[in-house]
């Protein structure tokens, strides 16, 4: 008799090719309706599953994990960020957590670059005007934005995505500056012609555009606090494709309302899908519904990573993308 296949519970609808392979390899329970699990449903899932495949929309906190059944040995997250999972409790309970790094780097960097261009060049503001029938014709002083070429970009978090953004930014004539826990390898710094700032405060005060690429951890919660946001120059732009909680969204909104900074491009928010309603009223912001990695190729590659992590774990090996609580 063939050995029993492990029960893999997937909390959201994944690309078809990934779901089909899940069905072939495992006793997979899919969510074809794509309705987010309630807390009670998550608890039921961790009680039963051998492997849970959650996404950013599932809060796998201590309350959920404390109810996990003895079979749950792996949480194979669909996504790179794991701030929705209580890693310390997972470790205590001997549950391995994996994620999907690398494969979403280029897509997220593209989205970042799109925002770095869209906000100063007033792209969505102009688009709204045209659609509303408000365009009365060209004029030399109509809807002037700000030039990107020759400006300074300050990257917070110079990991894979930060570096991919830096490469693109160089091509657009921005000079690259960064703040990171650790200075990157001198060869990378030389390739990117990047200037390292040990002091985030010092960097913030000197940049034209700030882009966030660090994970959300207890140490980076509101890293851009009201105090730090005030260090920015009034012509500066802020772009965030990392996690909403890294910026104090209310403080940012107040500064945008008062024109204390020039604009913001946001793909992530503190309480997704809720957005501070005052942000919706502002013209100097571009708002995107967490689409950083949302390409068919990216989401399929993320699914492939999930499959590999589950398969290697089930076959008794260390899955390649283990997340350790100590990494954060
Ligand atoms: C994903 C992301 O779409 O990978 C991440 O951390 O923020 C997104 O690109 C999301 O996490 C899927 O769970």
């Amino acid at each position: 008799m063939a050995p029993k296949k492990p029960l893999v519970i997937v909390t959201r609808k994944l690309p078809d090719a990934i779901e089909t392979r899940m069905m072939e390899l495992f006793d997979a329970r899919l969510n074809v309706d794509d309705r987010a699990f309630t807390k009670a449903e998550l608890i039921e899932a961790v009680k039963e599953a051998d492997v849970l495949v959650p996404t950013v929309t599932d809060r796998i906190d201590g309350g959920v994990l404390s109810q996990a059944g003895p079979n749950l040995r792996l949480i194979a997250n669909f996504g790179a960020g794991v701030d929705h999972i209580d890693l310390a409790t997972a470790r205590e309970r001997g549950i391995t957590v994996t994620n999907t790094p690398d494969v979403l780097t280029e897509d997220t960097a593209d989205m970042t670059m799109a925002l770095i261009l869209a906000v100063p060049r007033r792209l969505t503001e102009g688009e709204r005007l045209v659609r509303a029938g408000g365009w009365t014709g060209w004029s030399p002083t109509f809807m002037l934005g700000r030039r990107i070429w020759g400006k300074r970009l300050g990257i917070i978090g110079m990991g894979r995505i930060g570096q991919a953004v830096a490469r693109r930014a160089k091509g657009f004539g921005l000079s690259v500056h960064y703040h990171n826990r650790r200075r990157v390898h001198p060869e990378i710094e030389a390739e990117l012609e990047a200037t390292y700032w040990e002091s985030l405060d010092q960097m913030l005060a000197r940049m034209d555009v700030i882009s966030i690429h660090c994970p959300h951890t207890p140490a980076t919660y509101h890293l851009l606090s009201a105090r730090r946001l005030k260090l920015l120059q009034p012509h500066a732009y802020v772009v965030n494709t990392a996690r909403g909680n890294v910026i104090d969204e209310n403080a940012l909104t107040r500064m945008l309302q008062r024109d204390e900074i020039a604009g913001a491009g946001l793909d992530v928010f503190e309480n997704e899908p809720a957005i501070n309603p005052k942000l919706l009223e502002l013209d100097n912001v571009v708002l995107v519904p967490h689409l950083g990695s949302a390409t068919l190729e990216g989401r399929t590659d993320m699914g492939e990573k999930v499959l590999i992590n589950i398969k290697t774990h089930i076959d008794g090996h260390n899955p390649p993308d283990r997340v350790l609580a100590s990494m954060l």
Side-chain angles (χ1 to χ4, degrees):
M1 209 174 70
K4 194 173 152 302
K5 288 180 177 177
L7 174 61
V8 176
I9 300 186
V10 184
T11 67
R12 300 300 298 264
K13 165 122 193 70
L14 301 184
D16 279 347
I18 301 303
E19 291 192 335
T20 308
R21 196 69 188 124
M22 286 265 179
M23 294 296 282
E24 286 171 352
L25 289 171
F26 317 119
D27 175 11
R29 198 176 294 165
L30 306 176
N31 179 359
V32 288
D33 297 333
D34 200 29
R35 187 180 54 77
F37 279 25
T38 61
K39 182 161 183 169
E41 286 166 335
L42 276 178
I43 290 172
E44 278 314 302
V46 295
K47 276 185 180 161
E48 250 186 298
D50 297 300
V51 178
L52 182 74
V53 180
T55 74
V56 68
T57 55
D58 305 301
R59 265 190 78 75
I60 319 288
D61 56 19
V64 171
L65 282 179
S66 64
Q67 313 249 12
N71 296 339
L72 185 72
R73 304 265 47 94
L74 175 67
I75 297 176
N77 186 54
F78 181 88
V82 287
D83 56 328
H84 55 292
I85 303 172
D86 181 341
L87 295 178
T89 305
R91 186 174 51 182
E92 261 165 45
R93 299 184 68 98
I95 302 167
T96 301
V97 177
T98 59
N99 67 343
T100 62
D102 295 317
V103 289
L104 41 69
T105 300
E106 304 303 332
D107 291 327
T108 309
D110 284 344
M111 179 58 80
T112 308
M113 206 58 226
L115 290 172
I116 290 175
L117 295 171
V119 184
R121 298 306 304 274
R122 305 175 67 176
L123 202 75
T124 55
E125 191 187 344
E127 211 256 359
R128 283 194 296 274
L129 181 99
V130 170
R131 279 184 194 271
W135 189 34
T136 52
W138 187 90
S139 139
T141 52
F142 174 61
M143 277 202 87
L144 302 185
R146 298 303 301 266
R147 177 186 291 161
I148 276 303
W149 183 268
K151 298 287 163 53
R152 294 194 173 96
L153 169 67
I155 293 178
I156 301 178
M158 197 58 138
R160 285 173 277 242
I161 298 174
Q163 289 176 29
V165 169
R167 279 188 196 100
R168 284 161 175 74
K170 241 186 99 183
F172 280 87
L174 285 150
S175 65
V176 173
H177 296 245
Y178 75 100
H179 169 79
N180 200 42
R181 273 180 307 179
R182 277 183 296 277
R183 200 167 169 157
V184 299
H185 194 279
E187 263 174 37
I188 296 175
E189 223 176 67
E191 180 214 329
L192 301 172
E193 295 171 46
T195 304
Y196 175 61
W197 293 87
E198 195 179 333
S199 159
L200 174 58
D201 288 8
Q202 286 288 326
M203 183 177 87
L204 289 174
R206 292 168 159 88
M207 295 299 115
D208 304 302
V209 183
I210 287 290
S211 190
I212 307 214
H213 299 289
C214 58
H216 167 226
T217 68
T220 64
Y221 175 78
H222 282 192
L223 186 68
L224 285 198
S225 58
R227 178 191 72 76
R228 284 218 174 91
L229 285 166
K230 286 205 165 65
L231 299 173
L232 292 169
Q233 305 182 81
H235 69 264
Y237 299 94
V238 173
V239 167
N240 190 5
T241 54
R243 280 292 179 271
N245 309 61
V246 179
I247 307 184
D248 180 339
E249 193 174 296
N250 289 336
L252 178 76
T253 306
R254 278 195 300 275
M255 289 189 65
L256 287 162
Q257 281 178 312
R258 296 177 194 151
D259 289 323
E260 289 167 357
I261 55 168
L266 305 173
D267 181 45
V268 287
F269 304 89
E270 272 203 75
N271 301 301
E272 294 176 14
I275 299 182
N276 184 326
K278 298 198 180 93
L279 274 178
L280 304 177
E281 294 164 12
L282 298 174
D283 267 332
N284 53 348
V285 295
V286 176
L287 306 170
V288 185
H290 201 145
L291 294 181
S293 67
T295 65
L296 179 60
E297 294 87 344
R299 293 285 160 83
T300 305
D301 291 349
M302 287 160 70
E304 285 291 340
K305 281 218 158 225
V306 170
L307 289 167
I308 291 165
N309 283 320
I310 301 174
K311 188 78 177 88
T312 46
H313 177 82
I314 281 164
D315 291 346
H317 306 289
N318 280 329
D321 305 307
R322 290 187 312 282
V323 180
L324 308 173
S326 58
M327 275 160 57
L328 296 175

